[in-house]
């Protein structure tokens, strides 16, 4: 593998325009729970299923290697021995029933053996019954949402987004060891317990995968699918969305933190307290400044990927909010867009955010960059809008062109 | 083929002048001549091959290092999508149709294709389709970025580029269906007297089966993308759960087309290899009949394996098992073909001119793609490597080292017949060695990336993946530049070079080698007798 490093070095030196060359030159080390540097094989398995897959792959590779050597041994022997330049005269045979039957039957037997070996694992992977904890993973463009729906921790719910800083991606800062595979909120599960993952999606198809667990399951909008794992080792394990889901497909990692039973219980208690504290007091009177401050956070977590921190978007796919008529016009229109999404575009419905969050982010966008409406959208406005019927929402959302 | 050829009643010497082509541009626009149309197809596909190749280099440029260097993620997705669409529909498929046009009439002793004017139309439809694809980069929102599979509901989100892509594929589909009907009709009705089906050259056999596959599945693709179109613009909800539809249904329909499509792109390649290997081993093709049966079995099996592309969508265990077993079965007839080629080489009297080099390279590297295909067929392993670079490596091993190498092999083999000149052997060999070495530098490391869990279609990746990506990028640029050698060889052969006789290859067999080189504008006006 020394060659790889060498090529890399030469290439980095030869293309100074890349700038990141300096960052690259610093030693890259294995990512704990993620890929190792120049990893050659499947990751070290952490679940029973993953180790079955690991072994299955090894056996398949072995069988293929034996066939490879046998078949190409014969071919290359022939290539070297049966040459015209060596004076070899062509033989006259061009069929042999016995040989042809043999090389149909033998491969048949080999594939039957392979299929038999794999069948047990297929059935085991599909057995999602008797789970200790059930977690629903929802794919959004472009982050994951998790709801603990059954078992210890029931009721915990959070979003999980990429936490790698933008500067690292743009090459303005050295890249960290967990680059691209780190999130703000990790999924936490106890070790040695059967965890069932329900997958679904809000907008398009995503896929939830953790290679070390041998798990990959598509998340399909409007449908629920399931998979399961039972992690055997404490640690942090990493994967990412595996189904092309649009612009930021490469930027929605999945991180699972496997803790001991005791640590898991502690985490659940912390989460419950945090959630209680985070719940907005429904009777609170918000000032415009408070809403803007809160809205900036919502914007950074939810909107920034498409509409950019500058509010300029990346047109034409993701239009600017800065200076946009719909943002600054009568509040009903942007409210309808947030609640309803916009058909035929990447703009999804954000109904799942709370009234306060929606009010805050609207107040923020209506009073940021060049936008100066000077007013505030109150949570009560959102609450009222949620009562509108679908027809009105559609009409307003369409009008907000 | 052990047919003895009877030249009786077939004269070369008659006046070609009257029947020669009109000159200028109109010759190509109006032509109904199978050789002209074959040439058009081949040049068209080569231009699309270079276009798709430039897009691929755009991808590899971005992936040379971690971080976002050149493209924003949206444009990166457009590159991967359009690279796939252009290579599949613009380069590989039309290239094989070009071969079919040139060779099928010559190999079966027919004067032309059955529907000569429709033949013109099926080529010229491709040009506006290709233009729609290329133009879609420049419309608001850019080209479609939903992946070449155009999975709904992502494909319902895209902009105008998606609609252009859908129309382009409709047109290309119509072109393919017309081409296939033409090929089936020609082969079934216009074979020279005495040429029974089981005496027919393998290339014609593989194309006959391929044409049936095309007729069966292109309308299915048209249906799938039409449903996407109506979901996008006319308020239907085929693939929208909120309206009672199902996103996964798109995948079922798409792959019912898509899997036979894979064989559409490889069966004619098998046909070409089955001509080149015997010619340079100076020995008859081993197991002709079993080759025909193996090709047919592959074609039939290709209809019952589609859901192996969908193991992670979540289907019942019984579904996963069925599609795993059916998929593994395909290894058997494919193995038979490889064994037959090797048995053909065995105890032959081989020489290694460029066509043979590409054929041996094909057998060697394509079989590696076959092995990874077998590994992908095993459902539990597939779930680990689905949508990772392992799959990217696998299908480039079968599509580049498979289909593309066979196309090169065939081009070198028949170009003396097409141009009347021998190509530059030294440059041809250079092209082969550069291609096969850079190909492996590009795609072999991708197996490791996939096993380590790097998903496909991402513009940025964990730094631990950096080295193999850098190697792959270097290989990709090498591979891309190597193809310019091919262009030079072809242009040189067209312009001049050593003149060749009717049959420049000692071991070549078949009716196409009984006519002069270059093949006159009209051949076999009187059918030859095959005994």
């Amino acid at each position: 593998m020394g060659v790889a490093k060498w090529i890399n070095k030469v290439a980095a030196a030869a293309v100074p325009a890349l700038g990141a060359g300096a960052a690259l030159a610093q030693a890259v080390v294995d990512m704990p729970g993620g890929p190792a540097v120049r990893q050659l094989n499947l990751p070290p398995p952490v679940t029973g299923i993953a180790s079955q897959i690991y072994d299955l792959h090894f056996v398949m590779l072995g069988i293929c290697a034996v066939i490879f050597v046998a078949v190409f041994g014969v071919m290359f022997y022939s290539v070297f021995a049966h040459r015209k330049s060596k004076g070899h005269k062509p033989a006259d045979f061009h069929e042999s029933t016995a040989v042809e039957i043999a090389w149909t039957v033998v491969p048949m037997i080999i594939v039957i053996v392979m299929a038999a070996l794999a069948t047990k694992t297929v059935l085991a992977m599909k057995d999602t019954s008797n789970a200790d904890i059930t977690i629903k993973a929802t794919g959004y463009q472009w982050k994951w949402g998790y709801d603990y729906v059954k078992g210890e921790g029931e009721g915990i719910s959070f979003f999980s987004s990429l936490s790698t800083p933008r500067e690292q991606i743009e090459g303005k800062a050295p890249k960290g060891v967990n680059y691209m595979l780190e999130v703000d909120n990790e999924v936490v599960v106890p070790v040695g317990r059967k965890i069932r993952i329900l997958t679904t999606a809000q907008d398009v198809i995503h896929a939830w995968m953790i290679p070390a667990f041998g798990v990959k399951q598509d998340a399909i909008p409007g449908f629920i699918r399931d998979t399961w794992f039972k992690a055997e080792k404490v640690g942090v394990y990493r994967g990412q969305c595996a189904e092309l889901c649009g612009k930021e497909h490469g930027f929605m990692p999945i991180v699972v933190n496997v803790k001991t039973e005791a640590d898991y219980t502690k985490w659940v208690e912390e989460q419950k307290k945090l959630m209680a504290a985070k719940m907005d007091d429904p009777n609170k009177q918000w000032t415009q400044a408070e809403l803007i401050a809160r809205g900036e956070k919502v914007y950074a977590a939810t909107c920034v990927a498409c509409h950019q921190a500058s509010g300029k978007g990346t047109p034409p796919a993701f239009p600017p909010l800065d200076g946009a008529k719909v943002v600054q016009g009568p509040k009903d229109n942007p409210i309808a867009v947030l609640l309803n999404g916009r058909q035929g575009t990447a703009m999804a419905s954000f109904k799942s955010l709370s009234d306060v969050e929606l009010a805050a982010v609207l107040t923020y966008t209506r009073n940021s960059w060049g936008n100066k409406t000077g007013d505030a959208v109150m949570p009560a406005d959102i609450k009222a809008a949620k009562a509108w019927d679908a027809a009105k929402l559609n009409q307003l959302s369409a009008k907000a062109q | 083929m052990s047919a003895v050829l009877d030249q009786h009643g077939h004269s070369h010497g008659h006046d070609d002048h009257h029947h020669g082509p009109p000159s200028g541009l109109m010759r190509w626009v109006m032509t109904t001549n199978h050789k002209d149309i074959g040439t058009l197809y081949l040049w068209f596909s080569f231009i699309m091959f270079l276009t798709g190749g430039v897009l691929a280099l755009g991808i590899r440029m971005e992936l040379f290092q971690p971080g976002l260097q050149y493209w924003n993620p949206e444009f990166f997705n457009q590159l991967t999508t359009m690279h796939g669409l252009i290579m599949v529909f613009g380069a590989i498929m039309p290239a094989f149709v070009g071969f079919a046009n040139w060779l099928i009439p010559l190999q079966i002793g027919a004067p032309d294709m059955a529907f000569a004017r429709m033949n013109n139309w099926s080529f010229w439809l491709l040009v506006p389709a290709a233009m729609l694809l290329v133009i879609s980069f420049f419309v608001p929102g850019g080209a479609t970025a939903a992946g070449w599979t155009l999975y709904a509901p992502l494909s319902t989100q895209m902009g105008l580029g998606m609609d252009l892509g859908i129309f382009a594929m409709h047109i290309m589909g119509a072109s393919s269906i017309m081409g296939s009907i033409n090929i089936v009709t020609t082969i079934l009705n216009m074979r020279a007297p005495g040429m029974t089906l089981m005496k027919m050259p393998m290339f014609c056999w593989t194309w006959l089966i391929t044409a049936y596959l095309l007729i069966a599945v292109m309308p299915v693709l048209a249906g799938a993308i039409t449903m996407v179109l109506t979901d996008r613009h006319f308020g239907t909800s085929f693939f929208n759960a909120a309206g009672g539809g199902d996103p996964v249904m798109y995948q079922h329909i798409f792959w019912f087309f898509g899997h036979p499509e894979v064989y559409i792109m490889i069966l004619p390649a098998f046909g070409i290899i089955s001509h080149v290997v015997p010619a340079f081993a100076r020995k008859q093709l081993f197991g002709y009949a079993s080759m025909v049966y193996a090709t047919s079995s592959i074609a039939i099996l290709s209809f019952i394996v589609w859901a192996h592309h969908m193991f992670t969508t979540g289907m019942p265990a019984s579904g996963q098992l069925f599609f795993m077993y059916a998929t593994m079965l395909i290894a058997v007839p494919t193995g038979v073909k490889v064994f037959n080629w090797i048995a053909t080489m065995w105890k032959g009297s081989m020489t290694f001119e460029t066509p043979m080099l590409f054929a041996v390279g094909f057998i060697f590297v394509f079989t590696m793609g076959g092995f990874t295909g077998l590994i992908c067929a095993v459902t539990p392993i597939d779930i680990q490597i689905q949508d990772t670079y392992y799959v990217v490596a696998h299908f480039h091993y079968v599509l580049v080292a498979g289909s593309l190498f066979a196309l090169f092999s065939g081009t070198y083999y028949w170009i003396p017949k097409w141009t009347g000149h021998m190509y530059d052997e030294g440059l041809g060999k250079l092209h082969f060695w550069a291609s096969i070495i850079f190909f492996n530098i590009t795609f072999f490391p991708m197996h490791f990336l996939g096993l380590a869990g790097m998903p496909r279609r991402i513009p940025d990746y964990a730094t631990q993946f950096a080295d193999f990506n850098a190697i792959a990028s270097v290989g990709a640029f090498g591979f891309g530049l190597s193809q310019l050698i091919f262009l030079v060889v072809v242009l040189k052969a067209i312009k001049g070079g050593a003149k060749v006789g009717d049959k420049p290859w000692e071991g070549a067999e078949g009716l196409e080698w009984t006519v002069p080189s270059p093949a006159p504008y009209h051949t076999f006006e009187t059918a030859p007798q095959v005994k």
Side-chain angles (χ1 to χ4, degrees):
Chain A
M1 286 308 118
V3 183
K5 215 170 216 169
W6 181 80
I7 291 179
N8 220 353
K9 265 190 191 151
V10 172
V15 192
L18 291 178
L24 192 86
Q26 53 175 223
V28 178
V29 295
D30 296 354
M31 188 191 299
V37 179
R38 293 185 294 277
Q39 181 178 326
L40 297 176
N41 198 355
L42 291 167
V46 176
T47 64
I49 292 289
S51 56
Q52 284 184 37
I53 296 175
Y54 190 93
D55 295 343
L56 207 51
H57 176 247
F58 198 72
V59 170
M60 290 288 297
L61 207 58
I63 297 174
C64 289
V66 170
I67 303 172
F68 182 88
V69 170
V71 170
F72 290 110
V74 172
M75 186 181 90
F76 280 109
Y77 173 78
S78 180
V79 162
F80 288 107
H82 305 145
R83 282 171 181 253
K84 193 183 181 190
S85 56
K86 293 194 174 159
H88 199 274
K89 292 274 176 289
D92 200 27
F93 65 89
H94 59 86
E95 56 195 0
S96 158
T97 313
V99 171
E100 288 174 63
I101 289 176
W103 71 36
T104 311
V105 173
V106 173
M108 191 79 189
I109 294 168
I110 294 174
V111 298
I112 289 172
V113 170
M114 288 171 166
L117 286 174
T119 301
K120 186 174 62 106
T121 311
V122 172
L123 296 176
M125 289 173 95
K126 276 283 162 191
D127 179 15
T128 55
S129 60
N130 299 320
D132 298 309
I133 295 175
T134 302
I135 303 171
K136 185 174 80 167
T138 308
Y140 295 84
Q141 284 174 318
W142 293 278
K143 64 185 169 208
W144 289 94
Y146 296 100
D147 298 281
Y148 287 59
V149 293
K150 220 174 140 199
E152 189 182 358
E154 187 175 326
I156 295 176
S157 169
F158 53 86
F159 286 109
S160 175
S161 315
L162 177 75
S163 61
T164 300
R166 210 69 210 169
E167 299 79 57
Q168 289 190 18
I169 296 173
E170 283 160 9
K172 290 174 191 145
K175 297 181 184 0
V177 62
N178 297 327
Y179 178 73
M180 293 298 294
L181 296 178
E182 50 196 340
V183 294
D184 50 2
N185 299 308
E186 298 169 349
V187 182
V188 177
V189 296
V191 72
R193 303 283 293 275
K194 185 164 183 176
I195 314 293
R196 180 178 178 223
I197 300 284
L198 305 175
T199 63
T200 186
Q202 163 84 8
D203 29 51
V204 299
I205 301 173
H206 304 265
W208 199 88
M209 74 127 158
I210 297 285
F213 295 169
V215 164
K216 184 180 291 139
Q217 176 59 56
D218 288 4
I220 297 156
F223 291 86
I224 300 264
R225 297 285 200 263
D226 66 350
T227 182
W228 70 278
F229 64 86
K230 189 195 266 181
E232 286 162 358
K233 260 186 285 185
V234 170
V236 178
Y237 303 100
R238 297 163 200 278
Q240 59 191 113
C241 179
E243 182 65 58
L244 178 64
C245 58
K247 174 170 157 283
E248 304 280 312
H249 161 56
F251 304 86
M252 48 184 291
I254 299 150
V255 181
V256 177
N257 190 338
V258 179
K259 290 186 189 266
T260 61
E261 290 268 359
D263 284 351
Y264 179 70
T265 308
K266 215 188 287 167
W267 177 80
V268 168
E269 279 161 17
E270 277 168 22
Q271 288 302 304
K272 293 248 150 122
K273 269 186 225 149
L274 272 175
M275 279 168 63
K278 254 204 238 157
M279 283 268 264
D280 290 309
D281 177 0
N283 300 317
K284 180 179 161 98
Q285 291 301 309
W286 291 80
T287 66
Q288 191 209 24
E290 281 170 339
L291 281 169
I292 290 179
R294 179 75 194 276
E296 189 170 5
K297 286 186 195 141
V298 178
Y299 187 86
T302 313
C303 318
V304 75
C306 297
H307 294 293
Q308 306 293 311
S310 63
K312 302 262 187 249
T314 43
F318 308 104
L321 300 179
D322 184 14
K325 274 199 200 108
V326 51
V327 178
Q328 302 178 76
K331 323 177 191 179
D332 285 357
N333 296 345
I335 292 176
V337 170
L338 284 190
L339 291 179
N340 205 29
R342 189 175 278 165
Q343 287 294 308
T345 70
M347 182 67 193
S349 160
F350 287 91
K351 224 183 274 181
S352 57
L353 297 182
S354 74
D355 294 354
V356 172
E357 286 169 319
L358 287 170
V361 78
L362 273 178
T363 308
Y364 170 71
T365 50
R366 284 162 72 85
N367 293 288
S368 300
W369 318 298
N371 299 348
K372 293 280 174 284
T373 57
D375 65 353
V377 178
M378 287 295 161
D381 296 328
I382 306 290
K383 201 173 171 196
K386 277 183 173 168
W388 294 339
D389 60 23
K392 179 165 181 191
L393 267 177
N394 261 325
Q395 198 189 353
L396 283 172
S397 158
K399 204 165 76 185
Q401 191 54 47
Chain B
M1 239 207 16
S2 58
V4 177
L5 304 174
D6 180 6
Q7 304 293 339
H8 202 67
H10 163 226
S11 67
H12 303 319
H14 80 117
D15 186 7
D16 282 332
H17 186 74
H18 275 313
H19 303 277
S23 55
L25 184 66
M26 286 322 270
R27 164 182 175 183
W28 301 103
V29 177
M30 308 289 281
T31 184
T32 56
N33 179 288
H34 73 102
K35 299 182 186 80
D36 279 358
I37 293 173
T39 304
L40 286 171
Y41 265 109
L42 290 172
W43 276 112
F44 172 84
S45 60
F46 188 72
I47 291 165
M48 294 311 277
F49 171 64
L50 293 185
T51 313
V54 168
L55 301 183
L57 295 185
I59 297 169
R60 285 317 319 174
M61 216 164 95
E62 179 59 54
L63 292 177
F64 179 64
Q65 284 196 326
L68 290 178
Q69 272 80 232
Y70 301 99
W71 319 123
N72 65 50
E74 181 69 9
F75 185 69
F76 180 87
N77 291 345
Q78 294 177 22
L79 288 178
T80 57
T81 304
M82 297 306 283
H83 164 69
L85 285 176
I86 287 178
M87 285 303 199
V88 168
F89 294 100
I92 300 288
M93 288 172 68
F96 281 122
V97 183
F99 271 79
N101 264 293
W102 253 105
L103 293 171
I104 288 174
L106 285 179
Q107 290 190 329
I108 64 172
D112 206 307
M113 298 295 282
F115 304 115
R117 209 166 293 281
M118 185 168 85
N119 204 12
N120 170 293
W121 183 224
S122 49
F123 171 75
W124 281 105
L125 276 180
L126 286 180
V127 176
M131 280 161 65
L132 283 180
L133 280 181
V134 174
I135 287 170
S136 74
F137 270 111
F138 305 99
V139 299
T144 169
W148 85 276
T149 51
L150 307 175
Y151 275 9
L154 185 60
S155 52
T156 56
Q157 280 187 350
M158 299 285 147
L160 184 59
M162 181 74 211
D163 299 312
L164 296 182
I166 288 175
F167 288 133
M169 281 165 58
H170 271 142
I171 299 173
M172 286 173 164
S175 156
S176 285
I177 291 171
M178 282 191 248
S180 307
I181 291 172
N182 214 342
I183 287 166
V184 169
T185 314
T186 308
I187 291 179
L188 291 186
N189 294 298
M190 296 173 66
R191 295 193 310 281
M195 184 179 279
T196 59
L197 280 177
M198 290 309 276
K199 278 188 191 166
M200 196 164 70
M202 269 313 290
F203 180 72
C204 298
W205 253 117
T206 53
W207 242 116
L208 179 64
I209 292 165
T210 302
Y212 274 113
L213 286 181
L214 274 167
I215 294 171
V217 301
M218 289 312 289
V220 178
L221 173 69
I225 56 180
T226 305
M227 285 188 263
V228 170
L229 192 73
T230 61
D231 269 14
R232 287 167 58 75
H233 297 296
F234 304 109
T236 57
S237 301
F238 289 111
F239 308 125
N240 175 8
D246 182 351
V248 177
M249 184 173 74
Y250 176 85
Q251 298 182 24
H252 281 291
I253 303 172
F254 180 85
W255 286 114
F256 189 82
F257 147 80
H259 202 80
E261 167 72 11
V262 172
Y263 294 99
I264 287 166
M265 291 188 282
I266 201 68
L267 292 183
F270 290 167
I272 291 174
I273 299 302
S274 301
H275 283 269
V276 173
V277 171
F280 294 90
R282 292 163 182 78
K283 190 164 153 279
Q284 235 182 6
L285 181 66
F286 186 89
Y288 172 87
S290 69
M291 280 305 222
V292 173
Y293 302 140
T295 311
S296 315
S297 334
I298 292 173
I300 292 164
L301 285 173
S302 77
F303 284 105
I304 56 163
V305 298
W306 77 90
H308 69 213
H309 297 269
M310 303 166 55
F311 282 144
T312 63
T313 55
M315 66 181 82
S318 53
Q320 292 191 335
L321 291 176
F322 172 80
F323 286 107
M324 173 171 78
Y325 299 154
T327 304
M328 296 184 92
L329 269 186
I330 292 193
V332 176
T334 314
V336 166
K337 291 194 148 276
V338 173
F339 298 144
N340 278 341
W341 290 321
I342 293 175
T344 307
M345 291 159 73
W346 187 254
K347 290 193 188 281
S349 174
M350 279 187 275
T351 51
F352 294 90
E353 290 88 346
T354 311
M356 185 62 164
L357 285 177
F358 270 107
V360 175
F362 167 96
I363 297 171
F364 184 61
V365 189
F366 171 80
T367 305
M368 285 162 65
F371 283 130
T372 55
L374 199 53
I375 288 173
C376 288
V378 178
T379 310
I381 304 177
D382 181 73
I383 287 174
Q384 274 286 30
I385 55 190
Q386 160 84 20
D387 269 313
T388 68
Y389 263 85
Y390 194 91
V391 175
V392 177
H394 161 68
F395 68 72
H396 282 93
Y397 265 78
V398 290
L399 273 178
V400 178
S403 308
L404 184 64
F405 279 17
L407 285 164
F408 287 144
S409 175
T411 306
Y412 286 111
Y413 182 56
W414 281 296
I415 207 168
K417 180 57 61 189
W418 297 341
T419 63
H421 303 123
M422 188 48 82
Y423 60 87
D424 184 326
E425 190 65 59
L427 280 179
K429 284 187 170 148
L430 179 69
H431 175 221
F432 168 75
W433 287 110
S435 291
I436 197 159
I437 290 169
F438 282 119
F439 168 81
N440 282 292
I441 292 176
T442 311
F443 293 105
F444 202 77
M446 291 187 186
H447 293 113
F448 302 135
L449 289 172
L451 287 170
M454 177 170 162
R456 59 194 286 208
R457 297 165 165 170
I458 58 173
D460 193 6
Y461 49 81
T463 48
Q464 288 78 5
F465 297 132
D467 291 356
F468 287 137
N469 271 297
I471 295 172
S473 290
V474 171
F477 276 85
F479 187 80
L481 292 175
S482 309
Q483 304 322 309
L484 298 178
I485 307 172
F486 178 66
L487 180 62
V488 172
V489 177
V490 170
L491 290 176
K492 275 183 74 175
I494 291 172
K495 283 200 152 163
K499 293 241 180 283
V500 295
D502 294 5
K503 195 176 97 160
W505 307 116
E506 189 189 356
E509 267 195 78
L511 287 176
E512 73 265 37
W513 305 110
T514 64
V515 300
S517 305
Y521 201 57
H522 294 292
T523 39
F524 298 124
E525 283 162 291
T526 316
Q529 276 289 334
V530 180
K531 276 182 190 155

